Amino acid sequence: MKFFIDSADVAAIRELNDLGMVDGVTTNPSLILKSGRDIVEVTKEICDMVSGPVSAEVVATEAKEMIREGLKLARIAKNIAIKVPLTWDGLTACKAFASEGHKVNVTLCFSAAQAILAAKAGASFISPFIGRLDDIHLDGTDLIADIRTIYDNYGYRTEILAASIRSVNHVIECAKIGADVVTAPPAVIKAMASHPLTDRGLDQFLADWARTGQKIV
Ligand code: G3P
């Protein structure tokens, strides 16, 4: 399973990238706002650091303008994946970008029907938002499973990029279902290392070690 980092925080991405945890990065307008950085500058910095795809999102809502914005974003670096919303205009732009060989991440996917259209429009990635479905009391991981089944039934090559990941459990459920990628905030990736029994076991080992009176170096 690939890990993308859902963030525009360069320092946080670097920390995980240095550990080999980063297969790509996803950004969106809200994450750019949170970073306080200029979209072109921060995206370029991330693209220079990470060798995998870095999603940068258009903000136009009409296909022609989306295409103009997307081509500008694609000029930032070779590893840009142009991110478009799952609207009819977004699908139109997706098809245009894919036909020219650009990677496209179709975002804000909340149904299997939408995911089928994205695959047919040539998306490299479909981004179903798990957490936001959970927020309205639907099971986001059910959507990941449905898309996995459908894409496998027909051999669609679009990668399932599970997004709006809020917890370690989301990551594990997506891995069990077979999502190709999860994009998670750095805090969720780091939380994967934690387990209370690890902490308790380590405390015990350190206490016993102190009682031996020994030193390793
Ligand atoms: O990748 C999409 C993601 O950033 C949305 O996450 O937590 O705002 O629903 P969230």
Side-chain angles (χ1 to χ4, degrees), residues 2 20 49 85 154:
K2 287 182 265 190
M49 179 192 347
Y154 297 101

Side-chain angles (χ1 to χ4, degrees), residues 5-7 26-28 30-31 57 83 105 107-108 110 127-133 135 161-166 183-185:
I5 307 304
D6 199 27
S7 177
T26 52
T27 66
N28 62 37
S30 304
L31 292 170
E57 187 161 344
K83 203 172 181 190
N105 176 358
T107 189
L108 290 167
F110 294 96
S127 290
F129 275 34
I130 297 182
R132 292 191 194 185
L133 282 168
D135 288 345
L161 196 175
S164 187
I165 296 281
R166 308 271 178 78
T183 189

Side-chain angles (χ1 to χ4, degrees), residues 43 47 53-56 70 73-82 103:
T43 306
C47 287
V54 175
S55 293
L73 294 171
R75 281 196 290 274
I76 294 173
K78 280 196 178 126
N79 52 337
I80 287 286
I82 305 164
K103 276 193 187 305

